[in-house]
Amino acid sequence: LDDQIAESHLAIGRIQLHQDWNIKEAMKSFKRAIEIKPNYPEALVQLGFCLTHYGRHEEAIQQAKKAISLDKLSIVNLWYAATAPSIAGDFETVLELAYKIIELDPNNPTGHWIAGRAYSGQGNHDKAIEALEKGAQLSTNLNALVGIEPPGPGTFSLGNLGIAYGLKGDTLKAKEIIEKIKSYPGYDRGANYSLVAVYFSIEDLENVAYYFE
Protein backbone atom coordinates (compact mmCIF):
# COMPACT_ATOMS: atom_id res chain seq x y z
CA LEU A 1 0.00 0.00 0.00
CA ASP A 2 1.32 3.42 -1.01
CA ASP A 3 0.44 5.68 1.91
CA GLN A 4 0.28 8.68 -0.42
CA ILE A 5 -2.48 7.34 -2.70
CA ALA A 6 -5.92 8.55 -1.59
CA GLU A 7 -7.72 5.89 -3.63
CA SER A 8 -5.96 3.13 -1.68
CA HIS A 9 -7.17 4.51 1.64
CA LEU A 10 -10.70 4.87 0.25
CA ALA A 11 -10.69 1.24 -0.89
CA ILE A 12 -9.46 0.01 2.50
CA GLY A 13 -12.00 2.20 4.29
CA ARG A 14 -14.83 0.75 2.24
CA ILE A 15 -13.78 -2.78 3.19
CA GLN A 16 -13.49 -1.80 6.86
CA LEU A 17 -16.93 -0.15 6.78
CA HIS A 18 -19.06 -2.27 4.50
CA GLN A 19 -17.54 -5.72 5.08
CA ASP A 20 -15.99 -5.59 8.55
CA TRP A 21 -18.40 -2.97 9.94
CA ASN A 22 -15.43 -1.41 11.72
CA ILE A 23 -16.59 2.22 11.64
CA LYS A 24 -13.75 3.57 13.79
CA GLU A 25 -11.00 2.22 11.51
CA ALA A 26 -12.95 3.13 8.37
CA MET A 27 -13.13 6.74 9.53
CA LYS A 28 -9.34 6.80 9.93
CA SER A 29 -8.93 5.54 6.36
CA PHE A 30 -11.38 8.05 4.91
CA LYS A 31 -9.78 10.92 6.85
CA ARG A 32 -6.37 9.89 5.53
CA ALA A 33 -7.74 9.84 1.98
CA ILE A 34 -9.08 13.37 2.48
CA GLU A 35 -5.77 14.57 3.93
CA ILE A 36 -4.09 13.49 0.72
CA LYS A 37 -6.90 14.64 -1.57
CA PRO A 38 -9.10 17.24 0.19
CA ASN A 39 -11.65 17.53 -2.63
CA TYR A 40 -12.33 13.80 -2.93
CA PRO A 41 -16.14 13.45 -3.05
CA GLU A 42 -16.23 9.67 -2.60
CA ALA A 43 -14.15 9.85 0.59
CA LEU A 44 -16.10 12.85 1.92
CA VAL A 45 -19.47 11.15 1.55
CA GLN A 46 -18.21 7.90 3.08
CA LEU A 47 -16.80 9.82 6.05
CA GLY A 48 -20.18 11.51 6.42
CA PHE A 49 -21.87 8.11 6.41
CA CYS A 50 -19.61 7.04 9.29
CA LEU A 51 -20.30 10.22 11.25
CA THR A 52 -24.04 9.52 11.23
CA HIS A 53 -23.40 6.37 13.26
CA TYR A 54 -21.85 8.51 15.99
CA GLY A 55 -24.84 10.85 16.01
CA ARG A 56 -22.77 13.64 14.44
CA HIS A 57 -25.46 14.47 11.89
CA GLU A 58 -24.59 18.11 11.22
CA GLU A 59 -20.97 17.22 10.46
CA ALA A 60 -22.16 14.37 8.24
CA ILE A 61 -24.50 16.67 6.34
CA GLN A 62 -21.67 19.17 5.74
CA GLN A 63 -19.42 16.41 4.38
CA ALA A 64 -22.22 15.24 2.09
CA LYS A 65 -22.95 18.77 0.83
CA LYS A 66 -19.30 19.27 -0.04
CA ALA A 67 -19.18 15.91 -1.84
CA ILE A 68 -22.27 16.75 -3.91
CA SER A 69 -20.90 20.21 -4.78
CA LEU A 70 -17.81 18.48 -6.18
CA ASP A 71 -19.70 15.80 -8.11
CA LYS A 72 -23.36 16.60 -8.79
CA LEU A 73 -23.89 13.58 -11.05
CA SER A 74 -22.95 10.74 -8.68
CA ILE A 75 -26.01 8.70 -7.72
CA VAL A 76 -23.96 6.75 -5.18
CA ASN A 77 -22.90 9.95 -3.43
CA LEU A 78 -26.47 11.26 -3.39
CA TRP A 79 -27.61 7.96 -1.85
CA TYR A 80 -25.05 8.14 0.93
CA ALA A 81 -25.76 11.85 1.39
CA ALA A 82 -29.38 11.00 2.23
CA THR A 83 -28.36 8.93 5.26
CA ALA A 84 -27.64 11.73 7.74
CA PRO A 85 -30.79 13.80 7.15
CA SER A 86 -32.85 10.60 7.18
CA ILE A 87 -31.57 9.58 10.61
CA ALA A 88 -31.95 13.18 11.80
CA GLY A 89 -35.59 13.22 10.64
CA ASP A 90 -35.07 15.88 7.96
CA PHE A 91 -37.23 14.11 5.40
CA GLU A 92 -37.66 17.16 3.14
CA THR A 93 -33.92 17.14 2.49
CA VAL A 94 -34.05 13.39 1.90
CA LEU A 95 -36.83 13.84 -0.66
CA GLU A 96 -34.85 16.58 -2.39
CA LEU A 97 -31.90 14.19 -2.75
CA ALA A 98 -34.17 11.34 -3.85
CA TYR A 99 -35.69 13.38 -6.66
CA LYS A 100 -32.25 14.52 -7.80
CA ILE A 101 -31.43 10.83 -8.28
CA ILE A 102 -34.71 10.23 -10.12
CA GLU A 103 -33.99 13.22 -12.36
CA LEU A 104 -30.53 11.85 -13.16
CA ASP A 105 -31.80 8.33 -13.86
CA PRO A 106 -35.56 7.72 -13.65
CA ASN A 107 -35.06 4.01 -14.34
CA ASN A 108 -32.78 3.52 -11.35
CA PRO A 109 -34.74 2.18 -8.33
CA THR A 110 -32.48 3.95 -5.81
CA GLY A 111 -34.23 7.32 -5.90
CA HIS A 112 -37.64 5.70 -5.51
CA TRP A 113 -36.45 3.63 -2.54
CA ILE A 114 -35.09 6.74 -0.81
CA ALA A 115 -38.25 8.73 -1.55
CA GLY A 116 -40.41 5.91 -0.21
CA ARG A 117 -38.49 5.71 3.05
CA ALA A 118 -38.75 9.49 3.44
CA TYR A 119 -42.50 9.49 2.84
CA SER A 120 -42.84 6.73 5.45
CA GLY A 121 -40.89 8.89 7.87
CA GLN A 122 -43.36 11.72 7.24
CA GLY A 123 -46.29 9.38 7.84
CA ASN A 124 -47.43 9.67 4.23
CA HIS A 125 -47.88 5.93 3.81
CA ASP A 126 -49.77 5.95 0.50
CA LYS A 127 -47.05 7.98 -1.25
CA ALA A 128 -44.41 5.79 0.39
CA ILE A 129 -46.02 2.63 -1.00
CA GLU A 130 -46.41 4.21 -4.44
CA ALA A 131 -42.71 5.13 -4.55
CA LEU A 132 -41.56 1.77 -3.21
CA GLU A 133 -43.81 -0.15 -5.62
CA LYS A 134 -42.14 1.80 -8.42
CA GLY A 135 -38.74 0.98 -6.98
CA ALA A 136 -39.64 -2.70 -6.76
CA GLN A 137 -40.75 -2.74 -10.39
CA LEU A 138 -37.58 -1.03 -11.57
CA SER A 139 -35.52 -3.41 -9.46
CA THR A 140 -37.30 -6.34 -11.12
CA ASN A 141 -36.49 -4.90 -14.55
CA LEU A 142 -32.81 -4.51 -13.68
CA ASN A 143 -32.55 -7.99 -12.21
CA ALA A 144 -34.12 -9.48 -15.33
CA LEU A 145 -31.73 -7.49 -17.53
CA VAL A 146 -28.64 -8.91 -15.84
CA GLY A 147 -30.11 -12.40 -15.45
CA ILE A 148 -30.47 -12.53 -11.65
CA GLU A 149 -32.52 -15.49 -10.46
CA PRO A 150 -35.18 -15.87 -9.26
CA PRO A 151 -36.95 -13.15 -11.22
CA GLY A 152 -38.31 -10.41 -8.99
CA PRO A 153 -37.39 -7.23 -7.16
CA GLY A 154 -34.98 -8.73 -4.62
CA THR A 155 -35.25 -8.94 -0.85
CA PHE A 156 -33.98 -5.41 -0.18
CA SER A 157 -36.68 -3.84 -2.34
CA LEU A 158 -39.34 -6.14 -0.90
CA GLY A 159 -38.22 -5.34 2.63
CA ASN A 160 -38.65 -1.61 2.09
CA LEU A 161 -42.11 -2.17 0.69
CA GLY A 162 -43.07 -4.49 3.53
CA ILE A 163 -42.00 -1.91 6.09
CA ALA A 164 -44.19 0.72 4.40
CA TYR A 165 -47.22 -1.58 4.54
CA GLY A 166 -46.47 -2.43 8.15
CA LEU A 167 -46.20 1.23 9.16
CA LYS A 168 -49.48 1.92 7.37
CA GLY A 169 -51.10 -0.79 9.50
CA ASP A 170 -51.73 -3.16 6.59
CA THR A 171 -50.50 -6.28 8.37
CA LEU A 172 -51.92 -8.63 5.75
CA LYS A 173 -49.92 -7.03 2.92
CA ALA A 174 -46.80 -6.91 5.10
CA LYS A 175 -47.14 -10.63 5.83
CA GLU A 176 -47.56 -11.39 2.12
CA ILE A 177 -44.23 -9.68 1.50
CA ILE A 178 -42.62 -11.60 4.35
CA GLU A 179 -43.64 -14.84 2.62
CA LYS A 180 -42.19 -13.58 -0.68
CA ILE A 181 -38.88 -12.84 1.01
CA LYS A 182 -38.84 -16.29 2.60
CA SER A 183 -39.55 -17.90 -0.78
CA TYR A 184 -36.28 -16.66 -2.26
CA PRO A 185 -33.96 -19.71 -2.41
CA GLY A 186 -30.84 -19.40 -0.30
CA TYR A 187 -31.73 -15.97 1.05
CA ASP A 188 -28.81 -14.32 2.76
CA ARG A 189 -28.04 -12.02 5.67
CA GLY A 190 -29.61 -9.13 3.76
CA ALA A 191 -32.87 -11.05 3.51
CA ASN A 192 -32.76 -11.71 7.24
CA TYR A 193 -32.37 -7.99 7.84
CA SER A 194 -35.42 -7.34 5.66
CA LEU A 195 -37.46 -9.90 7.58
CA VAL A 196 -36.47 -8.37 10.92
CA ALA A 197 -37.42 -4.89 9.71
CA VAL A 198 -40.81 -5.94 8.33
CA TYR A 199 -41.67 -7.99 11.42
CA PHE A 200 -40.71 -4.98 13.57
CA SER A 201 -43.02 -2.74 11.54
CA ILE A 202 -45.98 -5.00 12.42
CA GLU A 203 -44.79 -5.35 16.04
CA ASP A 204 -44.18 -9.10 15.79
CA LEU A 205 -41.35 -9.08 18.32
CA GLU A 206 -41.13 -12.86 18.62
CA ASN A 207 -40.12 -13.16 14.96
CA VAL A 208 -37.90 -10.09 15.23
CA ALA A 209 -35.90 -11.93 17.92
CA TYR A 210 -35.91 -15.17 15.92
CA TYR A 211 -34.55 -13.68 12.67
CA PHE A 212 -32.21 -11.27 14.42
CA GLU A 213 -30.12 -14.14 15.80
Side-chain angles (χ1 to χ4, degrees), residues 194-206:
S194 295
L195 288 172
V196 167
V198 180
Y199 275 124
F200 190 79
S201 75
I202 60 173
E203 300 181 359
D204 184 342
L205 300 184
E206 183 178 345

Side-chain angles (χ1 to χ4, degrees), residues 54-135:
Y54 285 97
R56 295 162 63 180
H57 305 310
E58 286 304 318
E59 293 175 71
I61 289 168
Q62 292 309 311
Q63 296 288 344
K65 283 182 177 178
K66 184 175 180 181
I68 292 168
S69 73
L70 293 165
D71 185 356
K72 296 179 174 65
L73 302 179
S74 171
I75 287 175
V76 172
N77 286 351
L78 287 166
W79 184 352
Y80 279 113
T83 304
S86 180
I87 294 173
D90 182 2
F91 298 115
E92 286 300 324
T93 296
V94 177
L95 285 170
E96 183 182 329
L97 293 168
Y99 282 104
K100 281 182 181 178
I101 293 173
I102 292 168
E103 183 180 353
L104 287 169
D105 186 357
N107 293 316
N108 188 315
T110 304
H112 301 279
W113 290 334
I114 295 171
R117 297 287 289 267
Y119 283 127
S120 282
Q122 290 180 327
N124 193 338
H125 302 303
D126 289 333
K127 290 202 78 169
I129 289 167
E130 180 184 351
L132 291 166
E133 288 276 14
K134 180 69 173 176

